[in-house]
Amino acid sequence: MKIRSIETFRVRVPLKKPFKTALRTLTVSDSVIVKITDEEGRNGYGEAPPTHVITGDSLSSIEEAVNGIIAPKCIGQSLLHRESLLHTLNTSMVRNTSAKAAVDCAIHDLLAQHAGLPLYQFLGGAADSFDTDYTVSVNEPDEMAADAVQFKQDGFSVLKIKVGIGAIEDDLKRIRAIREKTDCTLRLDANQGWTAKEAVYAISRMEDEGLNIELVEQPVKAHDLKGLKYVTDHTFTPIMADESVFSPQDAIRVLEMRAADLINIKLMKAGGIHQAMTISKLAEAYDIPCMTGSMIETNVGISAAAHFAASQRNITRYDFDAPLLLAEDIVNGGVEFDKARMKFSGATGLGIESIKEHAVLRR
């Protein structure tokens, strides 16, 4: 069961409306799809979106990493010697985590197909379904409140609110407007947009006003672990590390410092499922629960992340609304959405059959 070929191609899908965070604004979703074919003709899929403001990856750098460096090292290797294969992948180059993640996910897709199991069962099978949150982009307070009301009507009871742009008072106005209109569970994501003192001030104000925030994600710059710990130590609201944790080594630093109450694991940061599993197990050893999130991805990348998340007992929160932000679903197969509920079809591996041809930009 050796790898026969590794192919990449680009896809592009418009978003329903601009997606705004403290780091960027997107109107289209661009990604590199990786397809690995084994000697028996099975196809495994992975995806790498170019999230340059977080991972530093671009479309061209992802393609070059996969085609120029990773593929020559992996083609011809046995999928059944996965520890050796995944070690080769992870040590093929430094960083370039999105490219590694796409290849890693395609490898795991093939392994689960070979085992005759859905990937989440192959990896651990902790849950058969779960509910995702839905993201409210940064806009004027009234627009954000209207979006929140609409998303609740659409069946979502947990909302992830983007903040971190402009003055703290602007963020407080946004949250007040949303809370006045909905009783949904609210999670905030500052995307590194605050300083430590600003974060403590903002969160304390929200606590005093009874705005009932479930957690606050990455309030400070990714490198500022002391600042992250300061916020965690000086607020009652749980604080989650996101951009501060890419690798297991990053996770160890955050866990040993007790710098956060939760960790957001993303396959594009970790370099794939293999490394993400290590982070999850490390966090579990410290009694720190995790969320699994995503970038702006199609149902290829989201299916891989959802299967990973469903496999692990320590992953208790889910942020997989990205395909719902897209103007269309370009994937045949993969994880299924029933409003907020995400379910698995029972197909082996990721259950992805193909990518719709009209969305493919280049082969």
Side-chain angles (χ1 to χ4, degrees):
M1 190 179 166
K2 294 181 179 179
I3 294 176
R4 186 176 72 194
S5 65
I6 298 178
E7 176 186 358
T8 64
F9 51 93
R10 296 184 185 187
V11 295
R12 169 172 287 184
V13 190
L15 273 64
K16 293 176 182 176
K17 64 180 294 185
F19 182 78
K20 302 176 184 178
T21 75
L23 294 174
R24 59 178 179 161
T25 297
L26 289 181
T27 58
V28 297
S29 171
D30 288 300
S31 280
V32 175
I33 302 295
V34 171
K35 182 171 78 171
I36 299 181
T37 305
D38 67 16
E39 288 183 320
E40 298 175 9
R42 296 188 185 91
N43 295 319
Y45 288 92
E47 178 179 4
T51 316
H52 61 276
V53 293
I54 298 175
T55 64
D57 300 319
S58 68
L59 287 168
S60 297
S61 72
I62 291 165
E63 289 173 325
E64 176 58 27
V66 174
N67 296 319
I69 298 172
I70 295 171
K73 293 178 179 292
C74 292
I75 291 173
Q77 287 206 39
S78 173
L79 288 157
L80 299 182
H81 297 159
R82 59 173 164 172
E83 280 295 315
S84 175
L85 174 59
L86 292 169
H87 177 74
T88 296
L89 169 61
N90 288 323
T91 59
S92 62
M93 58 196 310
V94 298
R95 293 180 285 276
N96 289 275
T97 52
S98 299
K100 291 176 182 177
V103 174
D104 171 284
C105 292
I107 288 170
H108 280 92
D109 186 5
L110 285 170
L111 286 168
Q113 289 181 52
H114 181 75
L117 293 169
L119 180 56
Y120 78 97
Q121 292 181 351
F122 177 76
L123 294 173
D128 292 318
S129 63
F130 51 77
D131 287 352
T132 181
D133 61 20
Y134 204 105
T135 303
V136 179
S137 292
V138 176
N139 283 298
E140 291 301 311
D142 288 347
E143 183 177 352
M144 293 179 71
D147 286 342
V149 170
Q150 183 61 58
F151 299 152
K152 182 179 180 181
Q153 292 174 352
D154 291 341
F156 295 86
S157 62
V158 182
L159 302 178
K160 181 174 179 178
I161 314 301
K162 293 293 188 178
V163 292
I165 293 180
I168 292 296
E169 291 301 326
D170 294 333
D171 282 330
L172 290 171
K173 290 176 183 177
R174 292 171 176 128
I175 302 308
R176 289 189 197 109
I178 292 169
R179 180 50 81 204
E180 286 174 3
K181 297 292 186 179
T182 180
D183 60 356
C184 287
T185 298
L186 301 184
R187 301 168 179 166
L188 306 191
D189 185 2
N191 285 114
Q192 310 177 58
W194 295 332
T195 67
K197 288 187 176 182
E198 286 174 338
V200 170
Y201 173 76
I203 296 167
S204 297
R205 286 278 301 274
M206 293 178 210
E207 291 170 347
D208 291 342
E209 294 180 28
L211 295 178
N212 193 21
I213 304 303
E214 182 198 22
L215 60 86
V216 176
E217 183 176 351
Q218 199 62 48
V220 300
K221 297 295 185 185
H223 63 80
D224 187 11
L225 296 190
K226 289 183 179 179
L228 185 65
K229 179 175 174 57
Y230 179 85
V231 179
T232 301
D233 289 345
H234 290 84
T235 57
F236 291 103
T237 302
I239 304 301
M240 181 160 64
D242 180 9
E243 290 94 338
S244 290
V245 177
F246 273 59
S247 66
Q249 293 76 19
D250 293 338
I252 290 170
R253 284 189 283 271
V254 168
L255 293 166
E256 288 188 342
M257 289 177 64
R258 290 287 175 176
D261 301 297
L262 308 98
I263 291 175
N264 187 354
I265 303 173
K266 293 177 180 173
L267 301 186
M268 295 304 121
K269 294 186 303 169
I273 291 169
H274 188 61
Q275 294 287 81
M277 293 274 283
T278 301
I279 295 171
S280 176
K281 295 302 184 187
L282 283 168
E284 187 172 22
Y286 282 80
D287 294 321
I288 296 294
C290 294
M291 180 166 85
T292 301
S294 65
M295 309 303 184
I296 300 300
E297 304 168 38
T298 74
N299 209 23
V300 174
I302 294 300
S303 291
H307 275 269
F308 160 69
S311 76
Q312 300 300 295
R313 189 181 65 84
N314 194 48
I315 296 173
T316 59
R317 294 166 175 83
Y318 314 92
D319 179 29
F320 296 134
D321 61 337
L324 304 177
L325 305 178
L326 305 182
E328 65 169 317
D329 183 4
I330 65 166
V331 181
N332 294 312
V335 69
E336 300 170 353
F337 287 83
D338 181 7
K339 298 181 179 178
R341 200 69 178 168
M342 297 181 69
K343 299 180 289 186
F344 305 96
S345 66
T348 60
L350 293 177
I352 294 171
E353 300 168 7
S354 63
I355 310 299
K356 296 175 182 177
E357 283 294 331
H358 72 272
V360 177
L361 297 182
R362 189 176 74 192
R363 283 189 180 274

